[in-house]
Structures are given as C-alpha cells and as structure tokens.
Amino acid sequence: MYIGNWMDRGALYWPDHLAVVDVAKGADGRFTHQQMNERANRMASWLRHTVGIGKGDRVGLLAHNGVEYLDLFFACGKIGAIFVPYNWRLHPLELADVVDQTRPKVMVFSDDFKPLIGHLQGDPRLDLSHWLHLDGDGLGGSLPYESTLQSGSSAPVEEPSVREEDTLCLLFTGGTTGLPKGACISYRMVAWNTFNSTIHELARGDVTVTHTPMFHTGGLLVYTLPLLTLGGTVVIMRRWDTEQMLELVEKERATLFFAVPTQFQLMIQSPRFRSTDFSSVRFMTSGGAPLPVPLVHAWRAVHDVPFKQGFGMTEFGPGIFSMGPEYTETKAGSIGRPNYFVDAGLLDDDNKPVAVGEVGELVLRGPSCFSGYFGNPKASAEAIDAEGWFHTGDVARRDEDGFYYIVDRKKEMFISGGENVYPAEIEKALYEHPAVSICAAIGVPDPKWGEVGKACVVLKPDTTATEAELIEHMRTRLARYKVPRSVVFLDALPISPAGKILRRELRVLFPS
C-alpha cells in the first residue's frame, strides 16, 4: 500500500538521509527517514490497537510546531484515519465549536494550551476519552506522548482499503458565514500538489525551514510534505523568531524557504542580517501579500538571492500560482501564472469568461483541488460548480502574457498577519453588545500585518459606548488576531436597495 504511506517509501529509498530537524528538541530532534517511519508505525499501532482508531476516525492536535505534527500525519495515513490539527489562536468558544464539528477520538496537546484543553474537557457536548500531552504534567488523566508512542510496535502498519479520494487531513478555513469549515484534504490532492511543487520548485536534497503554523496549509503542505516525499530535509521552528530564522538558514544550509513580506522585512532589520551566510539558498518564496520591489532591492543589495512569488489557499493546492525571479520587477504585484497541473480562469457574475485585462472571479480546476467541506454538503456544493470549477471568491485580472493579479475579494474576508478574518464573526460579537444597533467590519491596510480590522458601528438611540469598551467586548469573544484595531461611530451605514451593507463604500470612506 503506497497511498498515504510516505515514510515507508522514504525508509525504503533513503533511510539514512536526514528528514526532520525539530529545533526545539535540540540534539534529540534530528530524525532520519527511517526513524520517522518507525515513529509513524509506533503511533499508528498505538492508535489502532489501543484506542481502536479505524479508517475515517479523527485524531486531533493542539500544539505549536514540532515533529509530532508529522508523526500523527504519517500515522493517520498508514491506517486511513483523518488528522485534524486545530488552530491554537482560536477563542475557547470557537475551538469548542470546531472540535464538536469534527469529533476526534484522540486529542494531543502541548502544555502551552492547557487552559484551552481544560475548556474542552469541561464541554458536555464532547466525548473525548483519550488525551496525550507533549510536555509538562498533562491534564485530566492525559498520557505522556513520547512514552505512549514508544509503547507502540515498530512493525509495518497499513490499511489496504485506503484510496486516493479518501480524506487524509482536515485543515480549517472560513466562509462568508464566519464559521470555520474543515477542508477535506485527500491523498490525491496532496500527491498532485507535490507533483506541481516538484515541477516548478523542488529538487532532491533541498532543505527548507518551516516556521508557518503547521495547522495551516502553508506550514504543512507548501514545502514540508512535498520535500519529505522527495527525500529532502525539513527544519521545523516552533514559532517564528527572526534571529533564529537567520541562524537556521546558515546552520542547516537551507536551500529554499517561504516567508511573507513582513518577515523578509524583519530579517533585513535584524543586526544579524548582513553577517548571515545565504550562499546555500537557491531561492526564497514570498506569498500572502504583494512583494514590494524596494524590499527586493534592499535585500539583494546585501545578499543576491533570487525571490520567487506564489499564491495558494487551503482548498486548492496550495501550490497554485508561481512566478520566477526574472519577473519580480516587470510583473510586480502579480501572483504569477498557474502551475503545470492547474487550470485557472476568470468569470463574470454570469459565469462567463472575461477578456484579457478585465476583472472577474478567479476560478480553479485540477487534481489538486480539495474534496469539499467536512460534514457540510451545502457549502461544498456552493464552492465547486457543475463544471468542476472551484470559486475562490477572489477578483483578479490576467494580462496578455498570462500573469494573474489579485484585485479584490468577492467574499468579505480580509487577511491579517497571514490569518483569514471574516467580518461576520466580528459583527456577531458586536451585536452581542446591548448598545450596538447595526455594524460592519472591514479590513484596512496596516504596515505590519497587511490588514487589520476596523469596526463601523451605529449605536442604538439613547445608548453610549466607547471605542475601548467595544474592543474589550470583542476580546472576550474572539481570537486576538480577529479583534479590530479601531472602531468608528456613524449615524448610519451605506445600505443597498436590497438591504445589504455596502462594505466597498466603507472601505472608500475609511481607507486606513
């Protein structure tokens, strides 16, 4: 059985090559492909024989980055279970709703998130009987992860019934309703994304540094899994740290890595930047926001390393668009051209193709598309049309050379610090305040985070509320990154004839 059994193949083809460096574990955090396969077998054995995990059952994780993400991912692949890494940035109430949606039979957690785990253990909706703690003393009868893993057998484990269309992993995204949805990531999707990544970017022997949270597609699927499939090496940072990033690029001889423009700017500003040895780096990839040309000039004036750019999302790829370093200036602002096995198009409101230079909704089709939203057939049907096109909700244009440019978002989402933020979530929290009559949340530009939220509020007659009061109100109900940085009070909001709030007019009225 080769479907899903990555580390078994890795142990067969390049057993002694370094696969994973878990930086936080120091000298004990270096694992070959053979060792990673043994860990995956042991965890798969424990899950199957001790807990009774079978095909389609869910296994949850709430932790900062570490080798455990890969242990569980590969173990679930071996037995046909579904790996569910949860966003530790969520508010406890949000997390409980997501866990209730997915109903894992096992939850693995790190000591950092004991308060969140305590909240889950006290939720009467959840029926979680097996808990593993990665560090510390645990909570509520949880077992230590590493000793539990070692108790499992290292003998080969497989599930012959696994097929390409089965779901391997759930990665959470949002929607216009504001409720997080689990995107079903199939074995087929992962394989084709790896193929695209290999064609456009990767080579055997490459080394990358993974710092993006591994509950995101960016941390798990952009370079991490494709590179391990090729027999490469993945260096895992627990969390982003500018000085440590520069140290690891030099120490581990990284050949490529991904970062957002803000992180590249932080590296430039570091006192260590000039002395860091970047000679091993073949290229760096920027994503998440347009890459400013002055930033490229400032970087390459010190270290002449090529910049590539790309574009991806949870539901597709994430390797969708790529742009080589030769186009950094001539196609500034572009996300590039579609990858080899990705078909892209732009449609108007009647689902008709638009002409070159005109704007339309970006739609995608190809074998690296997700399989729908877990337990949500209605949302799945709305996302993928009868012709197989996935509707991204992004508005874009295409130039005469086939390069795409994101212009706006058809959906109301905005991105703050790499996290998707949905106005409906903010507005729901605001409406729970007794003084709020009507409200709308928009994203406004921010030099550090790309965008931050601004709440536009109309108060009820004969009531009062301050900006600080409403922000504090939202902090008790939302993850920190979702809380708007500012609140503006208005007499009325712009409303369309159909009764919808015109957020586009608010963005014009409040550009910052």
Side-chain angles (χ1 to χ4, degrees), residues 165-238:
E165 288 305 313
D166 289 331
T167 297
L168 165 65
C169 174
L170 299 180
L171 297 179
F172 283 88
T173 183
T176 54
T177 63
L179 300 174
K181 300 190 293 292
C184 296
I185 311 300
S186 69
Y187 296 84
R188 178 259 308 154
M189 177 180 178
V190 173
W192 281 94
N193 178 67
T194 297
F195 202 178
N196 273 324
S197 300
T198 304
I199 290 172
H200 290 277
E201 299 186 324
L202 301 181
R204 182 153 305 151
D206 271 333
V207 178
T208 195
V209 180
T210 294
H211 55 80
T212 305
M214 294 175 74
F215 58 74
H216 272 322
T217 189
L220 195 58
L221 299 180
V222 168
Y223 287 145
T224 299
L225 193 59
L227 194 49
L228 289 174
T229 304
L230 284 179
T233 302
V234 176
V235 180
I236 301 174
M237 289 176 62
R238 183 173 169 82

Side-chain angles (χ1 to χ4, degrees), residues 110-121:
S110 65
D111 198 59
D112 308 79
F113 307 113
K114 282 173 68 172
L116 283 171
I117 293 299
H119 188 274
L120 293 179
Q121 288 186 337

Side-chain angles (χ1 to χ4, degrees), residues 85-360:
Y86 296 103
N87 184 344
W88 40 260
R89 292 171 171 163
L90 293 177
H91 187 278
L93 296 177
E94 297 172 313
L95 179 63
D97 285 342
V98 170
V99 174
D100 184 44
Q101 282 182 38
T102 51
R103 294 298 176 110
K105 290 188 174 181
V106 177
M107 178 68 81
V108 182
F109 65 95
S110 65
D111 198 59
D112 308 79
F113 307 113
K114 282 173 68 172
L116 283 171
I117 293 299
H119 188 274
L120 293 179
Q121 288 186 337
D123 193 316
R125 297 174 298 171
L126 308 180
D127 184 24
L128 257 166
S129 56
H130 291 83
W131 306 80
L132 298 179
H133 58 269
L134 299 181
D135 46 16
D137 298 325
L139 191 69
S142 62
L143 300 174
Y145 177 87
E146 191 65 31
S147 61
T148 300
L149 181 147
Q150 294 303 327
S151 71
S153 171
S154 62
V157 181
E158 64 177 33
E159 175 50 61
S161 67
V162 169
R163 294 293 180 269
E164 291 90 335
E165 288 305 313
D166 289 331
T167 297
L168 165 65
C169 174
L170 299 180
L171 297 179
F172 283 88
T173 183
T176 54
T177 63
L179 300 174
K181 300 190 293 292
C184 296
I185 311 300
S186 69
Y187 296 84
R188 178 259 308 154
M189 177 180 178
V190 173
W192 281 94
N193 178 67
T194 297
F195 202 178
N196 273 324
S197 300
T198 304
I199 290 172
H200 290 277
E201 299 186 324
L202 301 181
R204 182 153 305 151
D206 271 333
V207 178
T208 195
V209 180
T210 294
H211 55 80
T212 305
M214 294 175 74
F215 58 74
H216 272 322
T217 189
L220 195 58
L221 299 180
V222 168
Y223 287 145
T224 299
L225 193 59
L227 194 49
L228 289 174
T229 304
L230 284 179
T233 302
V234 176
V235 180
I236 301 174
M237 289 176 62
R238 183 173 169 82
R239 299 183 73 177
W240 170 264
D241 179 275
T242 303
E243 303 306 312
Q244 186 180 58
M245 180 69 183
L246 292 169
E247 175 190 353
L248 291 172
V249 167
E250 180 174 310
K251 178 182 177 182
E252 302 294 343
R253 305 299 293 165
T255 61
L256 56 93
F257 62 89
F258 164 84
V260 300
T262 300
Q263 291 168 328
F264 285 115
Q265 185 64 53
L266 290 172
M267 284 187 274
I268 286 179
Q269 294 170 352
S270 167
R272 187 181 184 131
F273 176 69
R274 286 187 171 272
S275 63
T276 300
D277 181 3
F278 281 88
S279 62
S280 62
V281 180
R282 295 198 294 116
F283 64 86
M284 304 173 298
T285 298
S286 177
L291 178 64
V293 172
L295 176 58
V296 176
H297 288 167
W299 185 287
R300 300 194 70 179
V302 182
H303 299 291
D304 193 20
V305 182
F307 276 88
K308 296 189 71 173
Q309 293 173 75
F311 179 82
M313 57 184 58
T314 304
E315 295 98 331
F316 207 108
I320 307 174
F321 288 84
S322 295
M323 187 168 75
E326 66 273 25
Y327 299 109
T328 298
E329 295 192 36
T330 58
K331 298 294 183 180
S334 173
I335 58 174
R337 293 178 287 200
N339 283 343
Y340 199 97
F341 292 104
V342 175
D343 196 6
L346 298 173
L347 303 179
D348 62 19
D349 291 340
D350 295 319
N351 280 341
K352 303 296 183 183
V354 303
V356 170
E358 295 183 358
V359 299

Side-chain angles (χ1 to χ4, degrees), residues 430-431 433-441 455-465 470 487-495 501 506 510:
L430 279 170
Y431 279 123
H433 191 284
V436 174
S437 172
I438 187 171
C439 63
C456 304
V457 175
V458 177
L459 297 177
K460 294 177 181 176
D462 303 318
T463 64
T464 60
L470 291 183
V487 176
V488 59
F489 295 94
L490 301 173
D491 293 330
L493 297 184
I495 304 292
I501 296 173
L506 289 173
F510 302 107

Side-chain angles (χ1 to χ4, degrees), residues 374-392:
F374 183 78
N376 197 336
K378 180 176 184 294
S380 302
E382 291 172 351
I384 302 174
D385 67 24
E387 300 298 319
W389 289 107
F390 170 65
H391 288 247
T392 67

